[in-house]
Every structure is written in C-alpha cells, then in structure tokens.
C-alpha cells in the first residue's frame, strides 16, 4: 500500500435514489415468520447442521434470501447485524491459502484506505461515501491496481448481506483487517447509504500522517501493480510498530534495479522502504513522532486507531451516521472469550 499512490480526488457523479429512512421499530415477529416460511423447520435443521457440500451451498443461498427479505421489509440493522458482517469478513481474510503470505488482510485494508483517501477538505469531495471505486474511471486508476482482488472478495460478502452499503462494507473491512491482524481496536460506525500536501488536503496534521504511515507494517508492494516491490517488515500479516523500528534500526540503501527508486535494507536486502517512508527519519517534525512510535507500541496503536477512524469517515455527512458515537467491533477471538 503506497502513500505515494494516493491521488488527487477524481470527479465523481453518483446517481442515488433517496427515500425517507425507515422508522426504527421492531420487526422481530415478521422476521421470525419469514424465516419459518423460507427455511421450513426440519429443512433448516438439515441445511445448517449437515456437512455436505450441497447443504452448505443451499444454506448460503437461503441466508442470502433471508438478507433480501430484510431489505424488502425496511430492515433496520443493529450493531449485532454489523458484527455478523465483520465476522464474515474475518473469515474471508483468513481464507487466503498462499496469497501474499496467507492473508487477504493487507489488500482489504488497502481497499478501505484508497476508497477513503480521495477526500479533499477544501472542496468537500471524495472520501469513502458510496464506494465509488466500483466504477470507471476510478477502478482503473493506476493507484488502485490489484484492488480488484479485494473488491471481488467484498462483492461476495455484499451478496450475502445485501442490506449493507458498499461504503460501510469497505470501511468495516478495513477495521476488521487491522483488528484481526493483531492491531488496535478502531472506532467505527456505519454512515453511508452507500506526502504533506496529500494528507493536509485530507485534513491531517504531521502526527496523524506519521501514525497512518505505520500501516506499512502490513502487506507488500508488487512490481506489477505499483511498480515497487517487496514487504516493509518481516511479518507483513501482523500489525506491529516494526515499520518504525526498522526505519531507525536498519541501514537503508538505494536498491539497484530497473524499477522506480526505492530503498532496501543493507543486511538482508529482503525489505523495502519508499522514499516517502524514509523522509520520516529526515524531517524534524515527522522524525519525533516516528521515533516515539518506534519506542512505544501502545502510543502508536492509540494514535493510529484515532487517525484511521478519522480517515474512514472522510466525506460522510454527519447526518448520515446511524449512531451518535462510534462502535468498537469485537474481534473473532474477543467473541470466544
């Protein structure tokens, strides 16, 4: 995920059908009735209890039908409903086989980041609202190369939970990626129906910029996408403060190759840093924050959580939020304890 890749906001056009929000009333009885009609008692027991492939496929189809029924009845999702979506995202992230160190987490986080990072505070345009990266020309922008992987994963979840907006789905996926890879808890709430110059444009100060750069602890660059190549840390699927530690502890030299200018660690030549990463050790203001995060992982987690939560809400009008305060979604491990 390259911060150099975050680009000037694209002009967007969104054609949105608006309707008055549904009244916040209980539809429990109605949903129970629909469930009984759709699932049919004993059939439901077989489908959800059986381990056969046919049963699993049919079960998924029925779950999707149930979601559609919720939409048709002006379903008002609760925090618990969003937690179910979070749990499904966590499953998908972990089911990556040999893709990029065995996790879809970094590419999903990159999707949430790039979708939110188009915000321009001067014009009030861009941001995560409506997840417009689904459409041309934004989906084809060079900075978004490779993100089709994450968009396709999220599309499968959207089919399963048709009531959730794309904007909410993508930002919630970013939260899940951070939290499930041992990162800090990130405050999040649903709201959509849905180097300095870049970040100042989005309304971030120097401290927030340095904190957000710590996300480079996750994932790697790909030469066929951004042009750059290699991971930033030795554990690219674990959220740590290693990005900052390595910046100061390793000797960084220019990589001799035919690609764009990037640095590599002199000792192993297996890690990379972008020029915009290295500037965190050279700029006086940036350096004090980067060094503080290298020395104190708890401070980094606290500041990253706050800055990332701010990033995810860029471009979302206040009146669209369905909760007055942000939520803390539980990780899969939290729910087991």
């Amino acid at each position: 995920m390259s911060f150099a890749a975050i680009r000037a906001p694209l002009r967007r056009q969104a054609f949105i059908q608006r309707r008055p929000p549904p009244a916040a009333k209980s539809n429990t009885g109605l949903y129970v009735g629909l469930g009984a009609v759709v699932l049919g008692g004993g059939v439901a027991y077989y489908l959800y209890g059986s381990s056969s492939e046919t049963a699993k496929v049919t079960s998924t189809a029925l779950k999707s039908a149930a979601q559609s029924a919720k939409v048709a009845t002006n379903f008002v999702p609760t925090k618990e409903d969003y937690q179910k979506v979070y749990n499904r995202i966590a499953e998908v992230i972990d089911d990556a086989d040999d893709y990029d160190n065995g996790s879809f987490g970094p590419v999903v986080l990159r999707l949430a980041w790039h979708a939110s990072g188009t915000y321009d505070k001067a014009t009030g345009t861009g941001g995560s609202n409506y997840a417009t990266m689904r459409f041309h020309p934004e989906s084809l922008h060079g900075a978004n190369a490779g993100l089709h992987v994450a968009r396709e994963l999220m599309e499968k979840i959207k089919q399963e939970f048709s009531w959730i907006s794309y904007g909410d789905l993508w930002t919630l996926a970013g939260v899940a990626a951070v939290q499930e890879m041992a990162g800090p808890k990130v405050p999040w709430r649903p709201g959509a129906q849905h180097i300095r110059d870049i970040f100042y444009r989005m309304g971030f100060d120097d401290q927030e910029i340095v904190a957000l750069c710590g996300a480079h602890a996750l994932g790697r660059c790909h030469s066929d996408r951004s042009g750059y190549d290699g991971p930033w840390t030795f554990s690219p699927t674990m959220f740590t403060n290693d990005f900052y530690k390595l910046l100061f502890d390793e000797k960084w030299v220019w990589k001799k190759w035919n690609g764009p200018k990037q640095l590599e660690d002199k000792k192993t030549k297996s890690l990379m840093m972008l020029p915009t990463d290295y500037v965190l050790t050279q700029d006086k203001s940036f350096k004090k924050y980067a060094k503080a995060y290298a020395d104190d992982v708890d401070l980094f987690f606290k500041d990253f959580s706050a800055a990332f939560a701010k990033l995810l809400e860029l471009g979302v009008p206040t009146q669209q939020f369905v909760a007055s305060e942000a939520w803390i979604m539980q990780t899969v491990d939290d729910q087991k304890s």
Side-chain angles (χ1 to χ4, degrees):
M1 176 174 57
S2 167
F3 292 96
I6 297 182
R7 65 280 184 215
L10 299 168
R11 292 184 178 276
R12 291 122 176 258
Q13 285 187 327
F15 299 92
I16 306 148
Q17 291 184 337
R18 298 184 180 275
R19 61 180 179 184
K25 62 182 180 181
S26 173
N27 289 312
T28 304
L30 178 58
Y31 297 144
V32 171
L34 286 170
V37 171
V38 174
L39 298 178
V43 176
Y45 176 81
Y46 166 74
L47 291 174
Y48 291 116
S50 172
S51 60
S52 75
E53 278 304 309
T54 301
K56 289 180 180 178
V57 171
T58 308
S59 171
T60 300
L62 288 177
K63 287 179 181 178
S64 297
Q67 295 294 342
S68 298
K70 290 179 178 180
V71 173
T73 56
N74 288 334
F75 170 61
V76 181
T78 64
K79 182 180 179 181
E80 288 69 31
D81 293 302
Y82 287 104
Q83 184 69 62
K84 292 175 183 177
V85 181
Y86 175 104
N87 294 348
R88 185 71 183 98
I89 294 169
E91 289 178 10
V92 168
I93 286 174
D94 199 40
D95 189 24
D97 295 326
D98 59 352
Y99 177 86
D100 267 13
N101 302 99
S103 175
F104 285 123
V107 73
V108 167
L109 173 58
R110 184 169 163 243
L111 175 67
W113 190 291
H114 280 223
S116 303
T118 58
Y119 184 70
D120 188 330
K121 70 171 184 177
T123 62
T125 59
S128 63
N129 210 21
Y130 308 121
T132 54
M133 198 198 298
R134 291 174 290 147
F135 313 116
H136 295 177
E138 188 174 355
S139 63
L140 300 179
H141 194 282
N144 296 328
L147 289 182
H148 67 282
V149 174
R151 291 197 301 269
E152 289 167 5
L153 289 172
M154 293 302 101
E155 185 61 34
K156 293 177 182 178
I157 295 177
K158 183 69 168 72
Q159 296 304 312
E160 191 173 339
F161 298 91
S162 57
W163 52 265
I164 192 170
S165 72
Y166 280 100
D168 288 342
L169 176 60
W170 288 9
T171 56
L172 181 57
V175 171
V178 170
Q179 295 188 171
E180 295 301 320
M181 290 188 288
K185 296 295 177 62
V186 178
W188 176 88
R189 55 182 170 171
Q193 290 188 30
H194 2 261
I195 185 102
R196 270 195 175 92
D197 287 344
I198 292 171
F199 283 92
Y200 285 174
R201 167 177 60 76
M202 293 188 284
F204 291 102
D205 59 27
D206 283 1
Q207 175 265 313
E208 292 170 319
I209 292 170
V210 178
L212 287 171
C213 286
H216 277 171
L218 299 175
R220 60 186 299 128
C221 284
H222 301 79
S223 57
D224 61 340
R225 300 178 188 176
S226 64
Y228 300 96
D229 186 65
W232 285 269
T233 71
F234 292 110
S235 53
T237 61
M238 288 289 290
F239 199 95
T240 65
N241 65 335
D242 287 355
F243 168 75
Y244 306 105
K245 287 183 176 181
L246 291 166
L247 267 176
F248 291 101
D249 293 348
E250 297 295 324
K251 174 72 173 178
W252 296 96
V253 297
W254 292 110
K255 181 180 177 71
K256 296 179 180 179
W257 72 321
N258 294 324
K261 290 191 69 173
Q262 67 178 67
L263 299 106
E264 64 182 5
D265 68 302
K266 187 175 182 179
K267 188 185 301 181
T268 71
K269 297 185 181 300
S270 62
L271 300 177
M272 66 85 69
M273 287 286 171
L274 301 172
T276 49
D277 296 323
Y278 194 65
V279 77
L280 299 184
T281 68
Q282 307 300 306
D283 181 274
K284 184 177 180 180
S285 177
F286 285 158
K287 184 176 180 179
K288 69 177 181 180
Y289 296 116
K291 190 66 172 69
Y293 295 149
D295 295 338
D296 190 339
V297 66
D298 291 335
L299 175 65
F300 164 52
F301 273 25
K302 178 179 71 69
D303 287 354
F304 177 85
S305 175
F308 191 54
K310 175 180 175 179
L311 174 70
L312 296 179
E313 293 191 353
L314 292 179
V316 182
T318 303
Q319 64 269 22
Q320 280 188 204
F321 289 118
V322 301
S324 58
E325 299 293 333
W327 297 336
I328 296 295
M329 308 305 290
Q330 289 190 314
T331 66
V332 172
D333 287 341
D334 287 340
Q335 296 169 72
K336 293 177 182 178
S337 60

